[in-house]
Amino acid sequence: MATIHDVALRAGVSVTTVSRVLNNRGYISQKTRDKVYQTMSELNYRPNEIARSLLRKQSNVIGLIIPDVSHPFFGEMANYIEYHAYQHGFKIMLCNSHMEPSKEREYVEMLKGNRVDGIIMGSHTLEVDEYMNLHSPIVTFDRQIGTDIPFISSDNYQGGVMAAELLLAKGRRKVAHICGNLGLQMLSNRRTAGFVDKLEAHGIKPIATHETNLNVFSQEQYTELVEQLLVEHPEVDGLFVTSDLIAIHALKQMIARGRKVPEDISIIGYDDIRAASYVLPGITTIRQPVERMAELAVELIRRQIAEEEITMENILPVTLVERETT
């Protein structure tokens, strides 16, 4: 197996020069870089990444723990995080927790064992103390777990207010709501708070609020929730759901039951995943700035590594995107 010394000898340069090329340190002419990379290819040389990370005390790997990469929102988020991480010289180690505490704990321990430079947490089933004991750069999405750990969130409360305002403007008064598990300490639950507060300010209470309770994202449960709503409250004329994926299932059920959208009922989602604009009619939704959120997550990890000043509370504005379901 070729070594760094073999590469240096054949390329006619010093071992230090090869090391600088590998670590992108110091000034090296493009001609020399090309020569070193060509020699590495000829000798089939692969640097020992573990040894290199121990030497420089940095792995250039960021761990990303999310509930489920198959969920459109988290899939898009992971895509943007990987893109922006790569721009800063980082690779991503992706973990799906499926909202299982034991699985999330195992992934946290694995990431610690692999000496990742930081962890971006998009899944939050563990107790706060387990995050506090990580002793490494960390950024959380939609959960505030301590004054010393930065978090990123869209303005969930304002998003709920926007949804209520639009339904009221459309003359909807028999309004229902489908949301996540309100028992979890998630900032995303403020969508429900903003929605309910705005309605009550106009003397209206939702005729029904249904929570999703499963630990995984279940299309079957989404369908059941909408069916239950329509059976119990056939008079419903406005629906706000805190996920576009659920909104799409709601749209499907409404059409299947002969309800015209938006003539009979208006539907508003949240996230603005790509699929929200693909279905017909297109889903009206509250857009989260997912790419900016992903970019900021990587930036906050990078700044912590560099021991630079950071902002702990990072709440980004949301946008109402009106399409055909309202």
Side-chain angles (χ1 to χ4, degrees), residues 66 68-81 274:
I66 57 177
D68 189 342
V69 73
S70 69
H71 188 286
F73 176 76
F74 291 107
E76 291 180 23
M77 176 187 288
N79 176 62
Y80 286 127
I81 287 176
R274 293 187 181 94

Side-chain angles (χ1 to χ4, degrees), residues 31-326:
K31 181 179 180 181
T32 300
R33 288 180 186 276
D34 293 342
K35 179 77 171 181
V36 170
Y37 282 124
Q38 180 181 345
T39 304
M40 288 170 56
S41 178
E42 292 171 353
L43 295 177
N44 196 29
Y45 172 74
R46 296 291 182 271
N48 187 325
E49 291 295 337
I50 296 177
R52 291 173 66 200
S53 66
L54 289 173
L55 181 64
R56 64 177 180 254
K57 298 182 180 180
Q58 187 173 332
S59 65
N60 288 342
V61 175
I62 297 174
L64 172 61
I65 305 181
I66 57 177
D68 189 342
V69 73
S70 69
H71 188 286
F73 176 76
F74 291 107
E76 291 180 23
M77 176 187 288
N79 176 62
Y80 286 127
I81 287 176
E82 187 280 332
Y83 172 80
H84 288 287
Y86 187 81
Q87 303 307 305
H88 288 283
F90 293 103
K91 302 297 190 299
I92 292 296
M93 187 177 292
L94 177 64
C95 309
N96 281 306
S97 74
H98 292 118
M99 299 298 284
E100 297 177 13
S102 60
K103 191 173 183 181
E104 187 172 332
R105 184 176 294 107
E106 288 179 12
Y107 274 135
V108 167
E109 291 301 318
M110 181 197 74
L111 294 174
K112 288 166 61 179
N114 281 273
R115 301 173 65 91
V116 296
D117 293 334
I119 301 176
I120 299 174
M121 302 293 301
S123 177
H124 313 289
T125 62
L126 301 183
E127 295 299 323
V128 171
D129 288 346
E130 300 194 50
Y131 294 112
M132 302 295 288
N133 293 330
L134 286 176
H135 304 298
S136 61
I138 181 172
V139 175
T140 65
F141 272 96
D142 264 336
R143 188 180 183 188
Q144 185 177 9
I145 61 176
T147 57
D148 296 328
I149 296 178
F151 72 88
I152 298 172
S153 171
S154 70
D155 192 340
N156 291 292
Y157 188 88
Q158 184 60 27
V161 169
M162 288 178 172
E165 288 177 338
L166 182 59
L167 290 179
L168 290 170
K170 298 295 181 179
R172 307 304 183 179
R173 297 296 182 267
K174 303 295 184 180
V175 177
H177 181 47
I178 297 177
C179 58
N181 188 339
L182 297 177
L184 298 178
Q185 298 300 310
M186 303 291 289
L187 294 175
S188 57
N189 288 339
R190 299 192 69 190
R191 301 169 193 176
T192 297
F195 182 68
V196 173
D197 286 351
K198 190 63 179 182
L199 289 179
E200 290 184 346
H202 285 77
I204 298 173
K205 290 186 177 181
I207 61 174
T209 297
H210 291 281
E211 300 178 40
T212 57
N213 294 309
L214 295 182
N215 289 335
V216 295
F217 300 108
S218 166
Q219 297 187 23
E220 291 77 12
Q221 187 194 34
Y222 297 160
T223 299
E224 290 175 5
L225 283 174
V226 177
E227 289 179 343
Q228 179 184 356
L229 171 65
L230 291 177
V231 169
E232 295 177 355
H233 300 279
E235 74 278 18
V236 61
D237 63 4
L239 177 63
F240 172 47
V241 297
T242 55
S243 162
D244 285 340
L245 194 57
I246 306 177
I248 291 172
H249 282 275
L251 174 62
K252 179 180 178 181
Q253 290 300 309
M254 298 300 174
I255 293 174
R257 290 175 173 271
R259 300 291 298 274
K260 294 181 180 180
V261 181
E263 291 85 355
D264 297 334
I265 182 170
S266 296
I267 301 174
I268 301 176
Y270 199 103
D271 290 334
D272 196 29
I273 61 175
R274 293 187 181 94
S277 63
Y278 296 163
V279 297
L280 292 175
I283 303 292
T284 292
T285 186
I286 307 299
R287 174 184 293 160
Q288 296 199 74
V290 59
E291 181 172 9
R292 176 55 188 148
M293 294 167 75
E295 181 182 22
L296 183 56
V298 174
E299 178 64 15
L300 287 170
I301 292 291
R302 187 199 65 77
R303 293 180 69 87
Q304 289 181 77
I305 294 171
E307 299 183 348
E308 298 175 0
E309 185 177 348
I310 60 172
T311 301
M312 294 299 171
E313 297 187 8
N314 300 272
I315 301 176
L316 280 64
V318 294
T319 306
L320 173 65
V321 180
E322 187 168 3
R323 298 191 178 98
E324 293 82 12
T325 57
T326 54

